[in-house]
mmCIF file of all heavy atoms in Angstrom:
data_model
loop_
_atom_site.group_PDB
_atom_site.id
_atom_site.type_symbol
_atom_site.label_atom_id
_atom_site.label_comp_id
_atom_site.label_asym_id
_atom_site.label_seq_id
_atom_site.Cartn_x
_atom_site.Cartn_y
_atom_site.Cartn_z
ATOM 1 N N VAL A 105 104.067 75.397 106.091
ATOM 2 C CA VAL A 105 103.952 76.856 106.050
ATOM 3 C C VAL A 105 105.231 77.416 105.433
ATOM 4 O O VAL A 105 106.333 77.051 105.846
ATOM 5 C CB VAL A 105 103.758 77.451 107.464
ATOM 6 C CG1 VAL A 105 103.696 78.979 107.394
ATOM 7 C CG2 VAL A 105 102.511 76.891 108.131
ATOM 8 N N ASN A 106 105.058 78.275 104.446
ATOM 9 C CA ASN A 106 106.212 78.926 103.820
ATOM 10 C C ASN A 106 106.040 80.434 103.840
ATOM 11 O O ASN A 106 104.976 80.947 103.500
ATOM 12 C CB ASN A 106 106.392 78.463 102.368
ATOM 13 C CG ASN A 106 107.427 79.290 101.619
ATOM 14 O OD1 ASN A 106 107.090 80.090 100.757
ATOM 15 N ND2 ASN A 106 108.687 79.113 101.966
ATOM 16 N N VAL A 107 107.080 81.133 104.261
ATOM 17 C CA VAL A 107 107.096 82.598 104.250
ATOM 18 C C VAL A 107 108.268 83.035 103.379
ATOM 19 O O VAL A 107 109.421 82.701 103.670
ATOM 20 C CB VAL A 107 107.253 83.179 105.665
ATOM 21 C CG1 VAL A 107 107.229 84.706 105.610
ATOM 22 C CG2 VAL A 107 106.165 82.662 106.591
ATOM 23 N N THR A 108 107.977 83.758 102.325
ATOM 24 C CA THR A 108 109.013 84.304 101.450
ATOM 25 C C THR A 108 109.015 85.818 101.606
ATOM 26 O O THR A 108 107.998 86.468 101.359
ATOM 27 C CB THR A 108 108.760 83.925 99.983
ATOM 28 O OG1 THR A 108 108.764 82.492 99.861
ATOM 29 C CG2 THR A 108 109.833 84.510 99.087
ATOM 30 N N VAL A 109 110.135 86.355 102.045
ATOM 31 C CA VAL A 109 110.243 87.790 102.301
ATOM 32 C C VAL A 109 111.024 88.448 101.168
ATOM 33 O O VAL A 109 112.162 88.069 100.893
ATOM 34 C CB VAL A 109 110.937 88.065 103.648
ATOM 35 C CG1 VAL A 109 111.021 89.569 103.903
ATOM 36 C CG2 VAL A 109 110.175 87.399 104.786
ATOM 37 N N LEU A 110 110.406 89.399 100.517
ATOM 38 C CA LEU A 110 111.051 90.151 99.436
ATOM 39 C C LEU A 110 111.560 91.456 100.038
ATOM 40 O O LEU A 110 110.866 92.475 100.061
ATOM 41 C CB LEU A 110 110.062 90.399 98.297
ATOM 42 C CG LEU A 110 109.356 89.144 97.753
ATOM 43 C CD1 LEU A 110 108.452 89.505 96.588
ATOM 44 C CD2 LEU A 110 110.366 88.076 97.353
ATOM 45 N N GLU A 111 112.773 91.409 100.537
ATOM 46 C CA GLU A 111 113.336 92.503 101.336
ATOM 47 C C GLU A 111 113.397 93.811 100.563
ATOM 48 O O GLU A 111 113.745 93.849 99.392
ATOM 49 C CB GLU A 111 114.739 92.128 101.810
ATOM 50 C CG GLU A 111 114.774 90.996 102.808
ATOM 51 C CD GLU A 111 116.192 90.666 103.219
ATOM 52 O OE1 GLU A 111 116.683 91.266 104.190
ATOM 53 O OE2 GLU A 111 116.803 89.820 102.555
ATOM 54 N N GLY A 112 113.049 94.893 101.270
ATOM 55 C CA GLY A 112 113.163 96.226 100.703
ATOM 56 C C GLY A 112 112.010 96.645 99.821
ATOM 57 O O GLY A 112 111.910 97.811 99.438
ATOM 58 N N LEU A 113 111.114 95.714 99.472
ATOM 59 C CA LEU A 113 110.022 96.049 98.566
ATOM 60 C C LEU A 113 108.793 96.513 99.349
ATOM 61 O O LEU A 113 108.578 96.131 100.497
ATOM 62 C CB LEU A 113 109.655 94.854 97.688
ATOM 63 C CG LEU A 113 110.751 94.336 96.753
ATOM 64 C CD1 LEU A 113 110.170 93.338 95.761
ATOM 65 C CD2 LEU A 113 111.437 95.470 96.010
ATOM 66 N N THR A 114 107.985 97.331 98.702
ATOM 67 C CA THR A 114 106.795 97.906 99.309
ATOM 68 C C THR A 114 105.591 97.659 98.410
ATOM 69 O O THR A 114 105.719 97.150 97.284
ATOM 70 C CB THR A 114 106.965 99.420 99.505
ATOM 71 O OG1 THR A 114 107.022 100.041 98.208
ATOM 72 C CG2 THR A 114 108.240 99.744 100.272
ATOM 73 N N GLN A 115 104.421 98.031 98.911
ATOM 74 C CA GLN A 115 103.208 97.963 98.094
ATOM 75 C C GLN A 115 103.359 98.837 96.855
ATOM 76 O O GLN A 115 102.858 98.505 95.776
ATOM 77 C CB GLN A 115 102.028 98.438 98.942
ATOM 78 C CG GLN A 115 100.689 98.386 98.247
ATOM 79 C CD GLN A 115 99.552 98.613 99.213
ATOM 80 O OE1 GLN A 115 98.990 97.677 99.760
ATOM 81 N NE2 GLN A 115 99.199 99.868 99.444
ATOM 82 N N LEU A 116 104.059 99.931 97.011
ATOM 83 C CA LEU A 116 104.304 100.833 95.886
ATOM 84 C C LEU A 116 105.088 100.136 94.789
ATOM 85 O O LEU A 116 104.797 100.311 93.600
ATOM 86 C CB LEU A 116 105.061 102.065 96.388
ATOM 87 C CG LEU A 116 105.288 103.214 95.400
ATOM 88 C CD1 LEU A 116 103.957 103.744 94.886
ATOM 89 C CD2 LEU A 116 106.083 104.321 96.056
ATOM 90 N N HIS A 117 106.088 99.322 95.158
ATOM 91 C CA HIS A 117 106.842 98.567 94.157
ATOM 92 C C HIS A 117 105.927 97.605 93.399
ATOM 93 O O HIS A 117 106.051 97.440 92.184
ATOM 94 C CB HIS A 117 107.965 97.757 94.821
ATOM 95 C CG HIS A 117 109.136 98.568 95.276
ATOM 96 N ND1 HIS A 117 109.222 99.109 96.545
ATOM 97 C CD2 HIS A 117 110.280 98.933 94.640
ATOM 98 C CE1 HIS A 117 110.365 99.754 96.667
ATOM 99 N NE2 HIS A 117 111.026 99.679 95.534
ATOM 100 N N PHE A 118 105.028 96.949 94.128
ATOM 101 C CA PHE A 118 104.160 95.945 93.492
ATOM 102 C C PHE A 118 103.307 96.576 92.398
ATOM 103 O O PHE A 118 103.199 96.033 91.290
ATOM 104 C CB PHE A 118 103.258 95.294 94.548
ATOM 105 C CG PHE A 118 102.368 94.226 93.991
ATOM 106 C CD1 PHE A 118 102.829 92.924 93.839
ATOM 107 C CD2 PHE A 118 101.065 94.512 93.613
ATOM 108 C CE1 PHE A 118 102.009 91.932 93.320
ATOM 109 C CE2 PHE A 118 100.226 93.527 93.094
ATOM 110 C CZ PHE A 118 100.707 92.233 92.948
ATOM 111 N N TYR A 119 102.712 97.734 92.686
ATOM 112 C CA TYR A 119 101.841 98.342 91.683
ATOM 113 C C TYR A 119 102.609 99.190 90.670
ATOM 114 O O TYR A 119 102.107 99.437 89.572
ATOM 115 C CB TYR A 119 100.738 99.146 92.372
ATOM 116 C CG TYR A 119 99.703 98.209 92.971
ATOM 117 C CD1 TYR A 119 99.675 97.946 94.333
ATOM 118 C CD2 TYR A 119 98.800 97.538 92.162
ATOM 119 C CE1 TYR A 119 98.761 97.055 94.877
ATOM 120 C CE2 TYR A 119 97.880 96.646 92.682
ATOM 121 C CZ TYR A 119 97.866 96.411 94.043
ATOM 122 O OH TYR A 119 96.957 95.507 94.561
ATOM 123 N N ARG A 120 103.812 99.600 91.000
ATOM 124 C CA ARG A 120 104.642 100.272 89.982
ATOM 125 C C ARG A 120 105.105 99.256 88.952
ATOM 126 O O ARG A 120 105.157 99.552 87.758
ATOM 127 C CB ARG A 120 105.845 100.952 90.655
ATOM 128 C CG ARG A 120 106.876 101.494 89.659
ATOM 129 C CD ARG A 120 106.253 102.558 88.774
ATOM 130 N NE ARG A 120 107.125 102.960 87.693
ATOM 131 C CZ ARG A 120 107.137 102.415 86.482
ATOM 132 N NH1 ARG A 120 106.300 101.409 86.190
ATOM 133 N NH2 ARG A 120 107.944 102.852 85.557
ATOM 134 N N TYR A 121 105.439 98.060 89.385
ATOM 135 C CA TYR A 121 105.909 97.006 88.474
ATOM 136 C C TYR A 121 104.872 95.881 88.395
ATOM 137 O O TYR A 121 105.193 94.703 88.389
ATOM 138 C CB TYR A 121 107.268 96.486 88.951
ATOM 139 C CG TYR A 121 108.301 97.576 89.016
ATOM 140 C CD1 TYR A 121 108.676 98.144 90.236
ATOM 141 C CD2 TYR A 121 108.873 98.086 87.859
ATOM 142 C CE1 TYR A 121 109.605 99.178 90.290
ATOM 143 C CE2 TYR A 121 109.798 99.117 87.913
ATOM 144 C CZ TYR A 121 110.161 99.658 89.124
ATOM 145 O OH TYR A 121 111.063 100.683 89.176
ATOM 146 N N TYR A 122 103.623 96.312 88.332
ATOM 147 C CA TYR A 122 102.483 95.398 88.332
ATOM 148 C C TYR A 122 102.557 94.385 87.194
ATOM 149 O O TYR A 122 102.280 93.200 87.382
ATOM 150 C CB TYR A 122 101.208 96.233 88.228
ATOM 151 C CG TYR A 122 99.910 95.466 88.254
ATOM 152 C CD1 TYR A 122 99.377 95.007 89.446
ATOM 153 C CD2 TYR A 122 99.205 95.231 87.078
ATOM 154 C CE1 TYR A 122 98.174 94.328 89.478
ATOM 155 C CE2 TYR A 122 98.005 94.560 87.085
ATOM 156 C CZ TYR A 122 97.491 94.103 88.292
ATOM 157 O OH TYR A 122 96.308 93.428 88.310
ATOM 158 N N LEU A 123 102.930 94.840 85.995
ATOM 159 C CA LEU A 123 102.974 93.942 84.834
ATOM 160 C C LEU A 123 104.038 92.857 84.992
ATOM 161 O O LEU A 123 103.919 91.779 84.411
ATOM 162 C CB LEU A 123 103.240 94.747 83.562
ATOM 163 C CG LEU A 123 102.156 95.737 83.140
ATOM 164 C CD1 LEU A 123 102.580 96.476 81.882
ATOM 165 C CD2 LEU A 123 100.831 95.020 82.917
ATOM 166 N N GLN A 124 105.079 93.155 85.747
ATOM 167 C CA GLN A 124 106.170 92.197 85.898
ATOM 168 C C GLN A 124 105.831 91.083 86.895
ATOM 169 O O GLN A 124 106.435 90.028 86.869
ATOM 170 C CB GLN A 124 107.449 92.913 86.359
ATOM 171 C CG GLN A 124 108.183 93.670 85.255
ATOM 172 C CD GLN A 124 107.439 94.880 84.763
ATOM 173 O OE1 GLN A 124 106.929 95.663 85.553
ATOM 174 N NE2 GLN A 124 107.362 95.048 83.445
#
Side-chain angles (χ1 to χ4, degrees):
V105 178
N106 170 252
V107 181
T108 300
V109 181
L110 307 183
E111 293 179 89
L113 298 191
T114 67
Q115 182 169 267
L116 186 59
H117 286 91
F118 182 84
Y119 286 103
R120 171 62 188 92
Y121 301 103
Y122 182 79
L123 295 179
Q124 282 69 45

